[in-house]
Amino acid sequence: MKLHAIHAGYFKLDGGAMHGVVPKKLWEKKNPPDENNLCTWDTRLLLVEYDEKRVLIDSGLGNKQSDKFFSYYEPHGPKLIESLEKAGFAPEDITDNFLTHLHFDHVGGAVKWKDDHTGYELTFPKATYWSHKRHWYHAMHPNAREKASFLEENLEPIQDARRLELLEEPDEVFPGFSFILVNGHTDSQMLPVIRFGSHTIIYVADLIPSAAHIPTAWVMGYDIRPLETMKEKANLLTEAAEKNFILFFEHDPKVECCTVEKTDKGIRIRETFSLADIEGK
């Protein structure tokens, strides 16, 4: 097994929405906002390379939405396909796209315009797309709070292409690759758990979008069940501290990975490092 961090670009979101009830005087020190109160976030994906499989976790925002849509989020920086090519892979090399959940910044890159713009097609033409059965239903029948985050053009092409596999139990999906189910941010979000040599890596997705969100009270305003998020974070972080798990951040603009430890103030970061540094630990 080999691991590759794949950058699908940066985008911006309202700082208050991303930090919930945390006062701005605290969060602006962690991720300074621009003049419009927008903070910059990464879409950092993880590619798990096996002998015969290349499993990409999530797919970023993509580039098929309208200029008006993207004006709200100001995407910039590296592109998904460029980053894959830089790592030595083409879209046709991806055998599986494992989607933690179906909000547009996690699944948008899975589908693209056809060359003639007459419709959509899969970005990874040979891939199987993985979602959770209950979450897929949740996304196709969204509540009013999340409706703007679940876009038909991101979901229907996957279903219509008959490349969709729906999971239910958090069993091993690929060798050394399982997942944890969490429900605070959205219903049935899947957090990949990857056993890499002697290490256990948790792709924490939107349960803990950045290193700044490790303290229990730092919960996004986007979460549909914030109290549940707090419980899920506390449980995961306690186990991570006890077992020396590595957390891999999807949205932190600077920190790729960290370990955590128990302190008098609760669970806090012990060490930050890049994915490339893991083999030496």
Side-chain angles (χ1 to χ4, degrees):
M1 179 191 292
K2 296 181 180 179
L3 303 179
H4 309 268
I6 304 295
H7 293 270
Y10 299 98
F11 70 117
K12 293 186 177 183
L13 290 171
D14 183 83
M18 282 298 290
H19 296 96
V21 299
V22 178
K24 183 177 180 180
K25 286 188 176 181
L26 294 178
W27 64 252
E28 67 181 353
K29 298 175 183 178
K30 303 290 186 179
N31 193 335
D34 65 14
E35 64 277 9
N36 295 315
N37 208 49
L38 301 175
C39 297
T40 296
W41 306 95
D42 204 344
T43 50
R44 181 184 296 109
L45 317 180
L46 184 59
L47 177 61
V48 183
E49 181 185 2
Y50 298 92
D51 289 340
E52 301 296 331
K53 280 187 172 290
R54 284 150 298 280
V55 181
L56 182 67
I57 302 174
D58 282 350
S59 59
L61 280 79
N63 57 12
K64 65 182 177 298
Q65 307 308 132
S66 67
D67 290 342
K68 181 179 180 181
F69 179 91
F70 282 131
S71 71
Y72 301 130
Y73 306 104
E74 301 182 25
H76 58 285
K79 307 296 184 184
L80 171 57
I81 302 306
E82 294 172 357
S83 296
L84 279 174
E85 291 175 347
K86 186 176 180 180
F89 303 96
E92 293 77 13
D93 295 326
I94 304 303
T95 62
D96 300 88
N97 191 195
F98 186 93
L99 301 167
T100 62
H101 61 297
L102 300 168
H103 288 167
F104 66 83
D105 56 317
H106 295 259
V107 67
V111 175
K112 65 176 185 176
W113 280 110
K114 293 181 179 179
D115 289 341
D116 59 6
H117 272 231
T118 59
Y120 303 108
E121 63 186 5
L122 302 185
T123 301
F124 312 114
K126 299 180 180 180
T128 298
Y129 290 76
W130 299 82
S131 184
H132 191 272
K133 184 176 182 179
R134 189 165 64 245
H135 181 71
W136 185 269
Y137 182 87
H138 177 75
M140 297 298 285
H141 304 84
N143 59 57
R145 185 180 178 89
E146 291 184 277
K147 188 174 183 179
S149 293
F150 294 126
L151 307 180
E152 291 180 0
E153 58 268 35
N154 287 337
L155 309 181
E156 291 183 355
I158 298 174
Q159 184 170 260
D160 292 345
R162 298 184 180 180
R163 304 302 294 271
L164 177 65
E165 289 286 342
L166 297 176
L167 298 163
E168 294 189 68
E169 299 300 325
D171 298 324
E172 189 171 69
V173 185
F174 311 104
F177 186 122
S178 57
F179 65 92
I180 298 168
L181 271 181
V182 290
N183 297 285
H185 176 63
T186 187
D187 203 344
S188 303
Q189 179 183 198
M190 299 188 293
L191 308 184
V193 179
I194 299 160
R195 294 187 297 278
F196 182 64
S198 61
H199 303 290
T200 297
I201 301 169
I202 314 293
Y203 187 98
V204 288
D206 277 359
L207 176 65
I208 311 174
S210 76
H213 288 82
I214 285 177
T216 304
W218 290 58
V219 174
M220 291 188 289
Y222 298 111
D223 289 11
I224 63 173
R225 304 180 185 96
L227 294 179
E228 186 71 16
T229 295
M230 293 174 71
K231 293 178 183 178
E232 291 167 346
K233 283 172 58 177
N235 291 338
L236 176 60
L237 289 169
T238 297
E239 186 175 9
E242 293 173 350
K243 298 181 180 179
N244 200 34
F245 290 167
I246 294 170
L247 308 182
F248 182 95
F249 297 106
E250 185 164 9
H251 288 315
D252 195 300
K254 296 180 180 179
V255 179
E256 279 194 7
C257 304
C258 83
T259 51
V260 293
E261 63 184 356
K262 292 182 179 180
T263 74
D264 292 340
K265 295 182 178 181
I267 304 295
R268 294 293 185 268
I269 292 174
R270 184 176 71 193
E271 183 183 10
T272 64
F273 44 90
S274 69
L275 184 68
D277 294 331
I278 290 178
E279 290 190 12
K281 293 187 175 296

